[in-house]
Amino acid sequence: MMTKVRKHIFLIALCVITVISSLGLSAYASSPEETVSALRNEPTKLICVSKYGDTAHYPENSIEGINSAVQKGADMVAVRVKATADGELVLMSDDNLSRMCVDSQGNTINKNVSETGIYELHEYFLKSGKGGVSQTATEYKIPTLLEALQAVDGKTVLLIENAWEYKDEIYTLLSDNNRLNSCVLMLEAGKNEISSWLSGKSAMPIVFSKFKGTVVWKSRSYIKRTVNAGVAGVLLGSSNAYSMTFNKNTVAKAQGKIRAVIDMTDPNLSGKRADTQLYWDDVTSRGFSVIITDNTEQFSEYSKRTENARARLSELCDEASKTNLTLCSTYSATNLKNRLTVSKDVLSSSVCANALENEYYELSKALNSLNDRSTDDKNQKTVTKGRIVAAVLVAVGFVIVEIIFERYRNESIKLRKVGRKLYGKAKKK
């Protein structure tokens, strides 16, 4: 009897663990409201954007792929749209259907979206993953933008990449269906064009702009103009890894005002950087905080690591701030105060997990190095900036005096040879 009871208890416990685990799959993803709020008000919160959904298990731009990406931790999902012959907006990356679509017999469809009506499109099937000749047909269909909005309502934010081409149609669709706050429009246009289009809107959509180039003054000007236009983020891209577009000082023009966005899935936009943790550390250390990725699950873990590092550093900053330094040696107390200032700056600005973890180590070291005041401060071998400057000035002073004295002595010797005294009258013969 007891054995049966134990089995039942074990099964119940197993079920509870399974349910909790399944719920935990989506635990890392923010709600649309939280994502939009973070986008505007929390500049140090990383935002994960899945490129076209979970393409490892579902067709790109499919509703099923979008939902799977959200389950794996995506805060936003990037999609692309095209207009059909009868004016419907559908999720599709290419003008032509051949890469992604087959008919019921498995034959590749070689037609343009703009030449095909919505009812005909609904007869076709999407190929798996990112499509192509080697991919097999699936049971999934091409969704309209409205169908996708309805399917993901309350789950995620859609980032519509090529929105400028259909900006007015998309804006009307979102406005009519009360979705302006659950979508982001990526407008690939000039700063003046974007500003002009937005200025005529009664309700402001959430907008990202896009700049690709290597000239630093152009990228900085673009950031400034789009900030003034009310843009929420700017995608900065270049095929050159060493482009000034990726420079910290360039990205800093956006920090605290709009989000710096980078597409890690496209080498021509990420400076040939790979979509891996090593390069996520690199781009986040430069100030990029919205990351478009194909590796949603891995980036979700990286984002969690970043938030944990931030929380640990914040707690240590609180501990250091409350530490009583009256009984500590002057040198160790000053060292901690200086380190704490640096730590707070990193905490308020950095989105890089590596930077936050390194600063936690440095602050811990400063905190653990506090010495008792009984330690003779005079015997501390300290080298400070002030002392270095003072030493340099004294050395320069000695050199100047030596030069003046040497010139005076040499001049005196020359004049003495011709029978004259320096600054005196000539001798009478």
Side-chain angles (χ1 to χ4, degrees):
M1 181 69 180
M2 287 300 294
T3 303
K4 290 183 178 181
V5 172
R6 287 173 183 171
K7 285 183 179 180
H8 287 312
I9 293 173
F10 175 76
L11 289 173
I12 292 171
L14 186 60
C15 290
V16 170
I17 292 171
T18 303
V19 170
I20 292 174
S21 299
S22 64
L23 291 173
L25 290 173
S26 59
Y28 302 144
S30 302
S31 69
E33 295 78 14
E34 290 171 336
T35 298
V36 171
S37 177
L39 195 62
R40 292 171 168 163
N41 307 313
E42 300 177 54
T44 58
K45 181 176 175 59
L46 284 176
I47 293 180
C48 173
V49 184
S50 173
K51 185 69 170 267
Y52 305 155
D54 179 12
T55 55
H57 301 95
Y58 299 94
E60 67 175 37
N61 289 308
S62 65
I63 289 175
E64 294 77 12
I66 294 171
N67 285 331
S68 179
V70 175
Q71 289 293 317
K72 292 187 175 183
D75 301 304
M76 299 168 61
V77 179
V79 297
R80 292 182 77 87
V81 297
K82 296 293 178 183
T84 64
D86 44 4
E88 286 283 350
L89 292 173
V90 296
L91 302 195
M92 180 61 60
S93 295
D94 304 337
D95 291 324
N96 192 278
L97 296 167
S98 58
R99 180 173 66 89
M100 288 303 302
C101 293
V102 296
D103 61 19
S104 58
Q105 304 301 315
N107 300 311
T108 297
I109 306 299
N110 189 16
K111 294 182 69 174
N112 289 336
V113 178
S114 60
E115 301 169 343
T116 313
I118 187 63
Y119 293 108
E120 182 182 351
L121 276 180
H122 279 163
E123 296 297 317
Y124 301 147
F125 296 89
L126 289 166
K127 293 181 182 179
S128 60
K130 297 182 180 181
V133 177
S134 62
Q135 297 299 320
T136 58
T138 68
E139 59 183 318
Y140 306 114
K141 302 294 187 73
I142 304 170
T144 65
L145 177 57
L146 180 58
E147 288 171 342
L149 289 170
Q150 292 169 340
V152 302
D153 184 32
K155 297 178 182 177
T156 194
V157 175
L158 291 183
L159 169 62
I160 305 173
E161 284 192 338
N162 60 328
W164 184 255
E165 185 176 357
Y166 308 102
K167 56 187 180 298
D168 293 320
E169 296 91 332
I170 294 172
Y171 180 85
T172 300
L173 177 64
L174 298 182
S175 181
D176 289 347
N177 290 276
N178 195 29
R179 294 293 194 279
L180 283 175
N181 283 323
S182 58
C183 281
V184 176
L185 310 186
M186 179 75 79
L187 302 182
E188 302 177 25
K191 49 187 178 290
N192 294 331
E193 293 175 295
I194 294 173
S195 180
S196 176
W197 185 71
L198 289 175
S199 65
K201 297 291 171 287
S202 55
M204 184 68 75
I206 307 171
V207 169
F208 285 173
S209 60
K210 182 177 180 179
F211 175 85
K212 182 182 179 183
T214 58
V215 182
V216 64
W217 66 265
K218 284 188 176 181
S219 59
R220 291 180 180 179
S221 172
Y222 190 88
I223 292 170
K224 182 178 179 180
R225 293 289 186 88
T226 49
V227 167
N228 295 337
V231 169
V234 56
L235 189 150
L236 299 172
S238 173
S239 59
N240 181 2
Y242 303 102
S243 168
M244 290 299 290
T245 299
F246 300 120
N247 187 274
K248 286 184 179 181
N249 292 330
T250 301
V251 180
K253 297 293 181 182
Q255 286 180 317
K257 302 169 186 175
I258 58 176
R259 291 302 195 109
V261 186
I262 188 167
D263 188 345
M264 299 298 290
T265 70
D266 187 344
N268 290 320
L269 292 176
S270 65
K272 303 295 191 297
R273 291 173 175 83
D275 190 13
T276 62
Q277 180 171 305
L278 175 65
Y279 291 102
W280 297 336
D281 262 327
D282 176 59
V283 296
T284 54
S285 70
R286 297 170 186 271
F288 289 95
S289 58
V290 178
I291 314 298
I292 302 175
T293 178
D294 274 331
N295 300 316
T296 303
E297 203 164 13
Q298 293 88 337
F299 188 83
S300 180
E301 290 293 334
Y302 178 81
S303 182
K304 184 180 178 183
R305 171 191 157 199
T306 304
E307 290 307 307
N308 288 340
R310 186 181 309 285
R312 291 178 67 219
L313 181 57
S314 178
E315 290 175 3
L316 194 61
C317 283
D318 289 341
E319 180 184 342
S321 298
K322 295 174 183 177
T323 301
N324 187 350
L325 301 178
T326 56
L327 299 178
C328 298
S329 67
T330 303
Y331 169 72
S332 62
T334 301
N335 183 50
L336 178 62
K337 289 176 183 178
N338 292 339
R339 194 74 246 172
L340 183 58
T341 300
V342 174
S343 295
K344 287 181 176 179
D345 181 60
V346 171
L347 196 62
S348 65
S349 61
S350 180
V351 291
C352 176
N354 198 39
L356 290 163
E357 289 165 349
N358 287 342
E359 190 53 38
Y360 178 88
Y361 168 76
E362 293 295 337
L363 184 58
S364 296
K365 188 167 66 172
L367 195 59
N368 293 329
S369 298
L370 288 173
N371 291 322
D372 190 81
R373 183 177 283 276
S374 59
T375 301
D376 187 3
D377 284 327
K378 293 182 181 179
N379 292 331
Q380 295 287 346
K381 294 180 180 179
T382 59
V383 179
T384 64
K385 290 182 180 179
R387 292 180 181 181
I388 292 173
V389 171
V392 170
L393 290 176
V394 170
V396 170
F398 275 122
V399 171
I400 292 173
V401 170
E402 182 67 23
I403 290 172
I404 294 172
F405 178 78
E406 185 66 20
R407 289 185 62 183
Y408 178 85
R409 190 172 69 85
N410 291 338
E411 187 68 20
S412 179
I413 292 171
K414 289 179 182 179
L415 293 175
R416 199 176 297 128
K417 287 180 179 179
V418 295
R420 297 174 59 191
K421 289 183 178 180
L422 189 61
Y423 304 125
K425 295 180 180 180
K427 292 181 179 179
K428 292 181 181 180
K429 293 183 179 179

